[in-house]
Amino acid sequence: MTTSRARVRTRETAPSAATATTEVAGPGRGPVGLLDDAPPSWGAAAYADALNAGHGPLFLRRTDGWLLPLEVERWCAEADAADLAVVERCEGTVLDVGCGPGRLVAALSSRGRPALGIDVSEAAVDHTVRLGGRALRRSVFEPVPGEGRWGTVLLLDGNLGIGGDPGALLDRVARLAAPGGLLIAETVPVDVDERADVRIVPLSGGHGGDLFPWARLGTRALLRHAARAGWHAEGQWTAGGRSFAALRSRSRSRSRSRSTSSNAEQPNSTAVISSQRAAKSSPDRPVADA
């Protein structure tokens, strides 16, 4: 099969972003894996099989044997009422972190809201594109188009757990959002603040993928971690048995002041989540177009 590459300006996904160009998978362009040579150690194959089938059962399993069901059927369905309530709250351009099969990106795009999904799963990016959305195969801890210019960042469907370090994740998202930008996060509907090593496993059992760090946060825990990262709460709500919180990032002037202070106190402090970094990343090469 021959492939062609179409170059899409970052500003088409984030109008206020820098003018440098980047390749983004979009409608009518079949994605080719950016990280095809990376070992699927985190359970990519089981996850891809579930997305392609449109259903589970699929679980996160802790080392003590506890299982957390993954809601694959809901993720692969159209955006529901709870999702659409999130869509209505979005401002400006939207970055969906851990977009999965892309129902939020598709819903935003169908309403004329510029949106980009990022996910480490090739199958998730492929599914998002088939729904008519734009997506990039990338970890949130790698360079992302339009950094510092996204009007809204989404962390839904348990994605507050990415990397197993909520503070580092919230710091990273603050750097992705525009000054005064919005974060909409989904929390666990109970009071929990948990870190654990987990692996993705199907119902059939087996070893599953390799262990990776994950976190689970209730709303109170999220607000504690968010305050340390410079976010302040704007609202909380529940819908469809799910819990959400909206947070606002600091203004540009406050951000600069805090950054200067932080640099003076901890000049060599950098948060790195190795479990979210792919083996052969290429920051300036998102998913190719076919």
Side-chain angles (χ1 to χ4, degrees):
M1 177 183 298
T2 60
T3 62
S4 62
R5 298 174 182 265
R7 302 189 68 80
V8 182
R9 287 188 180 274
T10 303
R11 65 170 59 248
E12 292 181 28
T13 302
S16 60
T19 58
T21 61
T22 185
E23 296 171 36
V24 179
R29 296 187 284 273
V32 177
L34 167 64
L35 309 174
D36 285 345
D37 295 329
S41 58
W42 58 274
Y47 183 63
D49 288 345
L51 292 191
N52 290 332
H55 59 80
L58 196 66
F59 303 88
L60 289 182
R61 185 174 68 195
R62 289 191 319 216
T63 54
D64 62 3
W66 180 84
L67 295 173
L68 175 67
L70 300 179
E71 299 181 79
V72 179
E73 292 88 345
R74 180 173 64 79
W75 299 346
C76 290
E78 293 184 358
D80 61 18
D83 296 326
L84 295 178
V86 169
V87 168
E88 291 303 315
R89 289 174 178 260
C90 289
E91 303 171 358
T93 55
V94 182
L95 179 68
D96 187 3
V97 175
C99 65
R103 73 188 191 285
L104 270 299
V105 175
L108 288 158
S109 299
S110 70
R111 288 160 175 76
R113 175 78 64 184
L116 174 69
I118 59 171
D119 204 289
V120 297
S121 165
E122 181 181 3
V125 170
D126 193 1
H127 201 288
T128 301
V129 172
R130 289 200 303 269
L131 291 181
R134 294 191 173 211
L136 186 70
R137 190 178 181 194
R138 186 156 302 176
S139 162
V140 66
F141 293 102
E142 295 174 332
V144 173
E147 294 200 15
R149 298 175 177 87
W150 293 97
T152 304
V153 180
L154 302 179
L155 283 171
L156 306 181
D157 300 331
N159 283 318
L160 273 172
I162 289 174
D165 186 337
L169 178 61
L170 291 165
D171 278 339
R172 173 59 177 148
V173 171
R175 295 195 299 272
L176 293 172
L182 184 68
L183 167 62
I184 301 179
E186 183 173 354
T187 60
V188 178
V190 294
D191 189 13
V192 63
D193 188 355
E194 175 186 88
R195 316 290 180 280
D197 289 332
V198 299
R199 58 169 45 98
I200 292 178
V201 296
L203 182 62
S204 57
H207 177 72
D210 289 347
L211 288 169
F212 57 91
W214 200 252
R216 298 174 66 236
L217 299 181
T219 299
R220 288 205 300 177
L222 168 62
L223 296 181
R224 286 196 302 271
H225 290 287
R228 298 186 193 111
W231 298 92
H232 65 268
E234 281 222 337
Q236 304 172 35
W237 69 97
T238 60
R242 299 160 63 194
S243 298
F244 303 88
L247 305 157
R248 184 73 61 181
S249 70
R250 67 181 69 89
S251 67
R252 187 180 299 275
S253 59
R254 289 182 61 197
S255 176
R256 286 176 177 170
S257 173
R258 184 177 183 276
S259 175
T260 301
S261 173
S262 176
N263 288 341
E265 294 169 4
Q266 301 181 37
N268 296 316
S269 176
T270 304
V272 177
I273 308 300
S274 60
S275 67
Q276 282 294 305
R277 292 192 180 278
K280 291 189 177 181
S281 62
S282 178
D284 296 321
R285 289 184 56 227
V287 179
D289 303 310

